[in-house]
Amino acid sequence: MGGPGEPPEGTPEGAPGGGEDEYRSVVFDESFVRAARLQEYSAEERMAEHTPAVRRRPPLHRGLSRQALLLVLLVAVAFGTAVYMGVRHPYGSAAIRRPPDPLRMTVIPLAPQGKVPGTTDTDHLYAHSPAAQFRIGAEGIPLPASQSTAHFSDSQVVAALTTAKDYLVRSSLYPEVLTGQQVRPVRVLLDTDQLEQFDQSFRRPAADGRHAPTGWMVRLDPSQAELADAKIRVQGTLTAAETDAATLEVTADHTFVYALRPTGSGGHAQASLFTVRRQLQFRFDRDDLRLHQAQLVASYLQAGPLSCAEDATDRLHPLLAGQTAKSGGPAGTDPYATGSATALCGTLATSAQPRV
């Protein structure tokens, strides 16, 4: 007898062997059955009256689902928003920003009316001078309470004030800058569009109101004077204001007082006070705020005791204890006063000197 599923007479002659049947090539797999548009009812369903043998299945959705379409739409909206925000980015591009104005600078030497007072006790010098209540170093440059403006946040105003303070500290208090050994600590804080003017000031100093190194920083003649006390006294103010929707402006007005003695004296010579008043005007656009840089657009410096006969363009040449100079200018000028001098060389007021 034939096996299960085989005809009693066995496999007919000429038929395919191995249990294969001639309809094997048309057997439908499961996916084909599930996709069929017609589906047979079950026996129980066919028992119902007037029920056809088969039912038509709803067509398959071969397009994108609603969730997929929504996802595509969200991605497109996000991409469009990113492109728009890139175009409207608050920092803009360097190609459209306004270049900073060249620095305008004024350096006014103040000549003493007699001998420069001095003593070996620097604490005594400071205690008997208008700088007696000044703070030491960077503590004398406190940041004011800041507030946001119409177009700049509080953090942006603080960034502008902090950069201005850093510039004052580096250009007025760093020993390596004071002695002329370094300029880089100051240079790195400047807007890149001002670097050419800065570099030219040190390559070819000129008394043209644009290229004096002493307009950028306090720069003493190291062959003549050195610090007798590292605790430089400072007092002044910083103020910030918005000039337009794209610009913040910071105004600095500070007086720095240095105790100096002759270079190489080894501390045995008398010390004297050298006073420098600096009034600086900074501008900041949003690129400057982001990069911690500043545009220095105005620098006004009064310094003494100096001799009007000495060139103060490249370096300051302080008159030290016991030295004298010819008077210059029409009237005494006090760097501690709040008014501004207008002479290109003035006389150092007696009240500005220590009483020793």
Side-chain angles (χ1 to χ4, degrees):
M1 295 182 62
E6 296 181 358
E9 296 81 4
T11 303
E13 184 179 355
E20 296 179 354
D21 64 65
E22 58 184 321
Y23 300 105
R24 182 176 182 179
S25 61
V26 296
V27 173
F28 305 132
D29 61 14
E30 185 179 355
S31 62
F32 181 87
V33 173
R34 284 201 305 267
R37 299 292 301 276
L38 297 179
Q39 184 180 30
E40 184 180 3
Y41 282 100
S42 66
E44 183 177 351
E45 290 173 326
R46 289 198 301 270
M47 291 175 62
E49 188 176 3
H50 306 302
T51 300
V54 296
R55 58 186 172 196
R56 183 175 296 276
R57 299 182 67 186
L60 294 175
H61 294 289
R62 301 213 178 258
L64 292 173
S65 68
R66 180 177 300 177
Q67 292 84 353
L69 287 173
L70 182 59
L71 179 60
V72 171
L73 179 61
L74 289 175
V75 171
V77 171
F79 180 79
T81 302
V83 171
Y84 176 79
M85 291 303 293
V87 173
R88 302 280 293 180
H89 197 278
Y91 295 128
S93 64
I96 62 175
R97 67 187 293 259
R98 186 184 70 180
D101 297 329
L103 170 61
R104 308 182 312 274
M105 56 184 69
T106 304
V107 179
I108 301 179
L110 302 178
Q113 301 183 53
K115 288 186 177 182
V116 177
T119 178
T120 56
D121 186 352
T122 57
D123 289 336
H124 180 83
L125 279 175
Y126 283 123
H128 291 81
S129 76
Q133 302 303 318
F134 285 14
R135 295 183 180 180
I136 297 173
E139 293 182 359
I141 315 175
L143 296 181
S146 61
Q147 294 182 347
S148 61
T149 66
H151 299 93
F152 292 90
S153 66
D154 181 73
S155 62
Q156 289 175 313
V157 175
V158 170
L161 291 166
T162 300
T163 304
K165 175 177 178 175
D166 288 346
Y167 188 94
L168 284 164
V169 170
R170 296 187 184 192
S171 64
S172 309
L173 300 176
Y174 274 24
E176 61 270 31
V177 172
L178 292 174
T179 58
Q181 298 177 20
Q182 292 285 338
V183 299
R184 189 177 183 278
V186 178
R187 188 181 188 275
V188 296
L189 290 178
L190 289 171
D191 186 289
T192 53
D193 288 332
Q194 285 194 305
L195 295 183
E196 182 178 353
Q197 183 188 5
F198 180 88
D199 294 339
Q200 185 177 346
S201 298
F202 291 88
R203 288 195 306 264
R204 294 187 298 275
D208 58 0
R210 290 289 188 271
H211 301 98
T214 50
W216 299 98
M217 62 187 68
V218 179
R219 186 171 155 96
L220 306 175
D221 183 353
S223 67
Q224 184 175 352
E226 64 183 14
L227 289 174
D229 187 348
K231 299 176 181 178
I232 301 167
R233 271 45 171 192
V234 187
Q235 180 170 285
T237 60
L238 284 170
T239 57
E242 177 182 314
T243 57
D244 56 50
T247 310
L248 274 176
E249 187 170 281
V250 173
T251 301
D253 188 351
H254 293 79
T255 300
F256 300 85
V257 186
Y258 308 85
L260 303 178
R261 64 187 173 207
T263 299
S265 62
H268 302 296
Q270 288 188 335
S272 59
L273 296 185
F274 183 69
T275 304
V276 176
R277 181 175 175 191
R278 303 186 74 193
Q279 296 169 286
L280 304 179
Q281 182 181 351
F282 301 90
R283 285 184 190 152
F284 301 85
D285 59 25
R286 287 181 169 81
D287 278 345
D288 294 321
L289 295 174
R290 177 171 54 88
L291 298 172
H292 192 59
Q293 295 176 343
Q295 304 171 28
L296 181 59
V297 296
S299 172
Y300 187 91
L301 179 144
Q302 303 174 53
L306 289 172
S307 174
C308 293
E310 293 281 356
D311 183 8
T313 301
D314 184 23
R315 301 176 188 272
L316 302 175
H317 308 275
L319 294 173
L320 303 176
Q323 295 180 337
T324 60
K326 294 181 180 180
S327 298
T333 302
D334 186 350
Y336 293 93
T338 57
S340 298
T342 57
L344 294 180
C345 186
T347 301
L348 184 64
T350 304
S351 61
Q353 295 275 45
R355 300 181 302 276
V356 297

